């Protein structure tokens, strides 16, 4: 309960969200690529006793099915981080003097998020990765409009933080 300011949560959110999406996209892309290459490799192989394509589908095919769940897991993690920022803002004990630096940090975060959003859009538009990242519908929406999301999260988090601070001031003076 005795937390000091969590002004860097917005930056951590941006960095972790990009890393989660890139790693998830990379896993899905690698799974599809390896599956395609294994199909090509096993195309002429086989015998009466062993069906390599069936063995591949039973083993590695299940990995790709599991990787497909990363599409919705990524958006749940991002939404969870947003909720954690709001909860952290509620738990912060701060002073009114920190309101001005908080506004500056949110503005800097919005400026940084423009570059991150543009870089993400360029990576997603790459022809090799476009089909892989097309499945990240909710996550893509957040990343494409990241500056808006950062502004909303930053200002709502600030409102939560400083409204709670105002209610904590009253407790010290005998108010309930």
């Amino acid at each position: 309960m005795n937390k000091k300011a969590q002004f860097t949560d917005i930056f951590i959110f941006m960095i972790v969200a990009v890393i989660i999406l890139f790693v998830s996209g990379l896993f899905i892309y690698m799974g599809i690529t390896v599956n395609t290459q294994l199909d090509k490799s096993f195309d002429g192989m086989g015998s009466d006793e062993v069906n390599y394509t069936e063995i591949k589908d039973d083993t590695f095919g299940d990995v790709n099915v599991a990787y497909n769940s990363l599409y919705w897991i990524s958006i749940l993690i991002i939404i969870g981080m947003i909720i954690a920022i709001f909860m952290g803002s509620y738990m912060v004990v701060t002073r009114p003097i920190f309101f001005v630096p908080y506004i500056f940090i949110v503005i800097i975060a919005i400026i940084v998020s423009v570059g991150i959003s543009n870089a993400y859009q360029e990576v997603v538009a790459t022809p090799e990765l476009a089909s892989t990242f097309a499945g990240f519908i909710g996550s893509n929406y957040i990343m494409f409009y990241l500056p808006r999301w950062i502004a909303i999260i930053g200002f709502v988090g600030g409102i939560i933080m400083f409204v709670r601070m105002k209610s904590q001031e009253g407790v010290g003076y005998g108010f309930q």
Side-chain angles (χ1 to χ4, degrees):
M1 280 303 252
N2 198 9
K3 290 179 133 183
K4 297 299 176 193
Q6 290 187 336
F7 295 139
T8 60
D9 282 353
I10 296 174
F11 293 103
I12 293 171
F13 165 73
M14 289 188 292
I15 293 167
V16 171
V18 168
I19 289 172
I20 286 171
L21 288 173
F22 282 154
V23 169
S24 298
L26 182 65
F27 279 174
I28 293 169
Y29 177 74
M30 287 188 320
I32 292 170
T33 304
V34 169
N35 196 26
T36 304
Q37 292 299 320
L38 287 174
D39 281 340
K40 288 179 184 177
S41 298
F42 293 149
D43 203 16
M45 297 177 76
S47 64
D48 293 336
E49 298 97 29
V50 179
N51 185 350
Y52 292 112
T53 305
E54 185 178 314
I55 293 171
K56 188 235 3 140
D57 289 339
D58 289 343
T59 56
F60 196 76
D62 292 339
V63 171
N64 282 334
V65 171
Y67 283 165
N68 283 332
S69 63
L70 290 174
Y71 288 126
W72 59 269
I73 290 174
S74 64
I75 188 65
L76 289 178
I77 291 173
I78 290 172
I79 290 171
M81 287 190 300
I82 293 170
I83 292 170
I85 289 172
F86 293 152
M87 289 174 45
S89 294
Y90 181 77
M91 302 301 277
V92 167
V93 176
T94 187
R95 303 279 181 251
I97 191 85
F98 292 120
F99 186 70
V100 174
Y102 183 80
I103 295 296
F104 284 124
I105 289 172
V106 170
I107 291 171
I108 291 169
I110 292 169
I111 293 169
V112 169
S113 69
V114 171
I116 291 174
S117 178
N118 289 338
Y120 181 81
Q121 287 179 9
E122 286 184 28
V123 170
V124 170
T126 306
E128 295 85 16
L129 299 174
S131 63
T132 301
F133 280 96
F136 291 104
I137 297 168
S139 301
N140 282 342
Y141 181 78
I142 290 176
M143 294 307 291
F144 289 163
Y145 298 104
L146 189 62
R148 291 181 189 171
W149 281 95
I150 293 300
I152 292 168
I153 293 167
F155 288 118
V156 169
I159 289 169
I160 292 170
M161 184 184 316
F162 292 105
V163 165
R164 174 134 194 288
M165 173 214 48
K166 198 68 168 160
S167 69
Q168 289 294 328
E169 282 181 5
V171 172
Y173 297 109
F175 299 106
Q176 295 293 355

